[in-house]
Amino acid sequence: MPHRAHLFSLRIAHALREACFTEPYGAPRFTRDLLAGITVGIIAIPLAMALAIASGVPPQYGLYTAIIAGFLIPLLGGSRFSISGPTAAFVVILYPIAQKYGLGGLLVASVMAGGILVVMALLRLGRLIEYIPEAVTLGFTAGIAVVIATLQIKDFLGLQLPDMPEHYLEKLWLLIQSLPDFYWPSFVVAAATLAIMLLWPLLKLPVPPHLPALIVGTLVALLLNQSGFLVDTIGSRFSYTLADGTTGFGIPPQLPQFEWPWLQAGANGESIQWNLRVLQDLLAAAFAIAMLGAIESLLCAVVLDGMSGKRHSANSELLGQGIANMITPFFGGITATAALARSAASIKAGAESPVAGIIHALVVLLGLVALAPLLAYLPMPAMAALLVMVAWGMSEAHKAVRLIKTAPRGDVWVFITCFALTVLFDMVIAITAGIVLAALLFMKEIAAMTHLDDVTVDETTIDKTKQLPENWRAFSIGGPLFFAAADRVFGELSTLCTEQQHIILSLKEVSLLDAGGLSALDKLIAKCEKNNTELILTDIPKQPLSTLAHANIKPIKGVLRFYLTLSEARRVVIEGH
């Protein structure tokens, strides 16, 4: 019963209550949360900026997201160890919105997505994540990773390109055409950063690799800049203007400010012209954001449960995610969800409760205020290299390769379909098509398991007087009789109605009879009545019997009879002759 309660519970701050109030919480546990929060907060600062840039907005909005949503989600949600903020999975959805509608459109879509998540929580839809096949999740995450990595080629190679085209193949073709013009200093910075990130884990030090990698990349960029080879940085790419008219480069060293999302600037700094078409576009994007946010946060919670041995409340987590995403955009934060890599790092650093996530947000806040001038020196090629590694991590390439090598052919096609559609079109189309394809293939496999066996001959006796008469045939159906299987099975039986005068049909191994199966059975009974063929049904399990009773299927003299068992029907038929 406690396990079931966790599955379906819905309450604000579920995880915080369970970890800090239901269980004893004292100084030792708080110390571990403090150290874990500081560790993950340091990790989150450059990641939040890089993901904001990849999403098409200035880096400070990623920090605002990590601060506001990173504080609210552990406070209000249902997973003890989830660390939330901007994530790579959202880039493919957020970037087109930012390009078309600017920051204002992005924030409004985030508010809408938060509302959808709250509705999902209230409808107790948290466990629906279990019905998304692994081939679908691996397909769209691998596709997202490819798109993110492709978008980083521009800064990785220092290519001077105008706005990227909307469609992936057009982006790729433009990048290929621009390769001869790559800027070698940018490539050197990116390559140095990437090399450190790849080699650092070999040292087995507790410091996460992207911190020393960014430091090395920044130092290489400074040396190149002093030598006259200018490398683009956050400070050279982004600027800001404060309320008092003060301007600066990089990130404004101030706390997130309250502002109505719909009053924020649209594309090219112009005000958004709100109309029904714009709201429809943003609502469609919000639905995609909410679906992906739900999948990401709940998959993360499941993985963290396995690492920690604890249980999360799926609906409470959706509620916390939804409320946070409704509030965060009012302070300039973009869409947030649980980040698996940061959450896993928190557990490895000793986190005990959601307090670690709250502390992580406060560390990011401190970094924004204290380190803003230094963060402006981070080179864009180094940030691109960081995102390439993030994309590689989220692609779960080892799982994808294993699925292709070992999974049934149908699952492989589902994976390929989701991957291709994510890259070429968008994630919503990919997930929808993937789930539909997976469902159809699953029904095909289940339908193939339903079989019709001829049991006319009683193999338990050699006495011919105890065998059915020549004008009688007996069959047994095994497997579910749903629409995809019933037409085939009852279709085979209906062909015998013109040849045989009597049929006994055992349903002993039929686990399910749905409306499609009932319709096919009605057609068989009608065929028997037309051809003067008698049909006897036996061994009817509870669910099919309930379906037949609900449909008011009754005996028809000379056409349809019912017996409890096949052996009883045999005995009656044999004795009748």
Side-chain angles (χ1 to χ4, degrees):
M1 185 61 70
H3 173 73
R4 187 176 179 84
H6 272 287
L7 291 182
F8 298 101
S9 61
L10 174 63
R11 56 177 181 167
I12 292 178
H14 174 90
L16 191 65
R17 296 183 193 185
E18 290 284 314
C20 299
F21 297 101
T22 303
E23 301 173 7
Y25 189 82
R29 295 184 69 196
F30 174 75
T31 301
R32 288 191 285 272
D33 279 335
L34 179 63
L35 294 175
I38 292 172
T39 301
V40 181
I42 294 171
I43 294 172
I45 291 172
L47 282 174
M49 292 191 297
L51 291 167
I53 295 168
S55 299
V57 296
Q60 63 266 27
Y61 296 106
L63 296 176
Y64 299 161
T65 309
I67 294 167
I68 306 299
F71 182 91
L72 291 176
I73 292 174
L75 180 68
L76 304 175
S79 177
R80 294 190 184 203
F81 304 107
S82 291
I83 302 295
S84 296
T87 63
F90 283 125
V91 169
V92 294
I93 304 176
L94 303 187
Y95 183 79
I97 301 173
Q99 292 295 105
K100 189 172 183 180
Y101 295 112
L103 177 64
L106 192 58
L107 298 184
V108 170
S110 297
V111 174
M112 291 178 175
I116 294 171
L117 286 169
V118 170
V119 172
M120 291 175 65
L122 295 176
L123 294 176
R124 305 297 201 277
L125 299 181
R127 306 311 302 181
L128 291 183
I129 185 68
E130 297 174 349
Y131 296 98
I132 299 179
E134 183 181 37
V136 173
T137 57
L138 284 178
F140 79 74
T141 53
I144 290 171
V146 168
V147 174
I148 292 172
T150 303
L151 291 174
Q152 305 320 305
I153 294 175
K154 175 177 176 289
D155 285 329
F156 198 99
L157 300 179
L159 301 176
Q160 299 299 316
L161 297 176
D163 291 338
M164 297 287 278
E166 181 178 354
H167 300 293
Y168 179 80
L169 292 179
E170 294 173 354
K171 290 186 181 80
L172 188 61
W173 178 240
L174 178 61
L175 289 168
I176 291 172
Q177 288 179 311
S178 304
L179 286 179
D181 300 325
F182 87 98
Y183 186 54
W184 69 263
S186 293
F187 175 74
V188 169
V189 172
T193 306
L194 191 61
I196 297 297
M197 293 191 70
L198 293 172
L199 298 175
W200 187 263
L202 300 177
L203 300 178
K204 300 186 184 303
L205 296 175
V207 180
H210 70 273
L211 294 178
L214 286 176
I215 292 173
V216 169
T218 301
L219 293 175
V220 172
L222 288 173
L223 289 174
L224 288 169
N225 285 337
Q226 290 181 350
S227 302
F229 300 102
L230 299 180
V231 176
D232 210 4
T233 64
I234 287 179
S236 65
R237 177 76 62 85
F238 300 99
S239 61
Y240 60 86
T241 302
L242 301 179
D244 61 1
T246 304
T247 60
F249 297 98
I251 297 171
Q254 65 176 20
L255 300 177
Q257 304 291 312
F258 179 89
E259 188 170 349
W260 300 109
W262 46 87
L263 297 181
Q264 297 273 22
N268 302 318
E270 300 173 357
S271 299
I272 299 176
Q273 301 300 312
W274 294 103
N275 54 51
L276 183 60
R277 176 59 185 274
V278 172
L279 290 176
Q280 288 176 336
D281 286 351
L282 294 181
L283 184 59
F287 182 78
I289 292 170
M291 294 302 103
L292 182 56
I295 293 170
E296 284 286 301
S297 62
L298 297 181
L299 282 178
C300 179
V302 169
V303 173
L304 297 177
D305 284 352
M307 295 177 65
S308 64
K310 303 294 184 180
R311 295 291 303 174
H312 74 283
S313 167
N315 295 310
S316 300
E317 179 66 4
L318 287 184
L319 183 63
Q321 294 278 346
I323 293 173
N325 276 289
M326 290 177 69
I327 295 173
T328 301
F330 287 87
F331 296 89
I334 59 177
T335 307
T337 191
L340 180 56
R342 277 162 270 172
S343 302
S346 180
I347 288 183
K348 292 176 182 178
E352 289 278 335
S353 75
V355 173
I358 294 172
I359 293 172
H360 129 272
L362 297 177
V363 171
V364 177
L365 176 63
L366 180 63
L368 171 64
V369 175
L371 302 178
L374 294 178
L375 296 176
Y377 289 98
L378 290 176
M380 296 304 298
M383 302 297 275
L386 173 61
L387 285 174
V388 167
M389 289 301 297
V390 169
W392 173 255
M394 78 169 295
S395 71
E396 296 191 287
H398 61 289
K399 289 186 179 181
V401 171
R402 184 173 183 275
L403 182 141
I404 291 173
K405 288 183 176 179
T406 63
R409 184 177 300 176
D411 287 337
V412 174
W413 278 113
V414 170
F415 169 81
I416 293 173
T417 299
C418 284
F419 174 80
L421 291 177
T422 300
V423 172
L424 298 177
F425 297 100
D426 75 43
M427 190 205 70
V428 176
I429 294 174
I431 293 179
T432 303
I435 291 176
V436 170
L437 179 59
L440 291 174
L441 291 173
F442 176 76
M443 287 188 288
K444 178 177 179 292
E445 292 175 3
I446 297 299
M449 294 172 61
T450 302
H451 53 88
L452 182 68
D453 299 316
D454 191 331
V455 292
T456 302
V457 177
D458 184 358
E459 297 182 353
T460 63
T461 179
I462 58 174
D463 187 350
K464 292 185 177 181
T465 63
K466 295 184 178 181
Q467 301 290 350
L468 290 173
E470 290 184 2
N471 60 343
W472 280 87
R473 295 282 294 277
F475 297 91
S476 174
I477 298 177
L481 280 173
F482 66 107
F483 61 91
D487 278 336
R488 172 177 56 83
V489 171
F490 287 131
E492 291 177 24
L493 285 171
S494 67
T495 61
L496 302 174
C497 294
T498 57
E499 303 171 5
Q500 303 297 326
Q501 296 176 345
H502 307 280
I503 297 175
I504 300 175
L505 185 60
S506 171
L507 304 181
K508 185 175 182 179
E509 298 181 10
V510 173
S511 56
L512 172 72
L513 178 67
D514 73 350
L518 185 64
S519 176
L521 178 60
D522 282 335
K523 292 177 183 177
L524 176 63
I525 294 171
K527 185 74 174 290
C528 290
E529 188 171 14
K530 179 180 179 181
N531 295 317
N532 297 317
T533 300
E534 186 174 17
L535 176 65
I536 297 177
L537 299 181
T538 72
D539 304 290
I540 306 175
K542 183 177 180 180
Q543 193 280 335
L545 183 61
S546 175
T547 302
L548 291 174
H550 187 70
N552 200 30
I553 302 296
K554 296 180 179 180
I556 303 173
K557 186 175 181 180
V559 178
L560 180 63
R561 282 191 280 169
F562 295 89
Y563 286 99
L564 288 176
T565 64
L566 176 61
S567 58
E568 181 184 359
R570 284 178 179 276
R571 179 180 57 78
V572 170
V573 169
I574 292 170
E575 290 178 357
H577 283 69

